[in-house]
Amino acid sequence: MTLAAMLLLTMTVNADNVMKKEADGTYVVNTTTLCKTRGYKGTTPVEVHIKNGKVVKVVSLPNHETKSYYARVEKNLVKKFSDLKVSKAKKLAAEKKVDGCTGATYSTKAVQQNVKAALEYYQKHK
């Protein structure tokens, strides 16, 4: 496949800039415009990287949450999505309580909703 063809494929998965497909087959779903669920101080957008039906990683995008609380979400929730099949990741995104995220309830729920929205978008548009 030529470089031009790979770039075209990457850019045309979805023209709305919510999801793109990288040259290695990884889909990247960005929730900045997809999910408006608010944490404690605003939205908590993420990028969900998915390859072969599994979440490769979840990357937190810039947000206005309190750094110390959001660090708990990063440590105790965001990393848990890695290497999960999409179906299991959706279950984790729906859990009511996440161990280690005490005190960061709004941020936790907002991240969960963002991941859920990304996974649903992926399933509908891949």
Side-chain angles (χ1 to χ4, degrees), residues 12-75:
T12 59
V13 170
N14 274 319
D16 58 9
N17 294 319
V18 172
M19 184 167 71
K20 65 182 177 181
K21 185 175 183 182
E22 296 181 340
D24 70 351
T26 301
Y27 287 88
V28 180
V29 184
N30 182 317
T31 66
T32 300
T33 60
L34 182 63
C35 184
K36 295 299 181 189
T37 302
R38 293 177 54 84
Y40 188 72
K41 293 186 175 183
T43 59
T44 56
V46 298
E47 278 187 345
V48 180
H49 297 246
I50 305 162
K51 185 173 184 180
N52 299 326
K54 288 180 105 174
V55 174
V56 176
K57 64 182 175 179
V58 175
V59 177
S60 296
L61 297 176
N63 63 67
H64 298 288
E65 298 301 281
T66 305
K67 289 182 193 266
S68 60
Y69 287 111
Y70 199 79
R72 293 180 197 173
V73 176
E74 283 277 329
K75 179 181 176 187

Side-chain angles (χ1 to χ4, degrees), residues 95-114:
E95 283 187 12
K96 298 289 184 207
K97 278 191 166 186
V98 177
D99 291 338
C101 289
T102 305
T105 305
Y106 292 108
S107 302
T108 300
K109 289 181 181 188
V111 168
Q112 285 177 297
Q113 287 300 309
N114 274 272

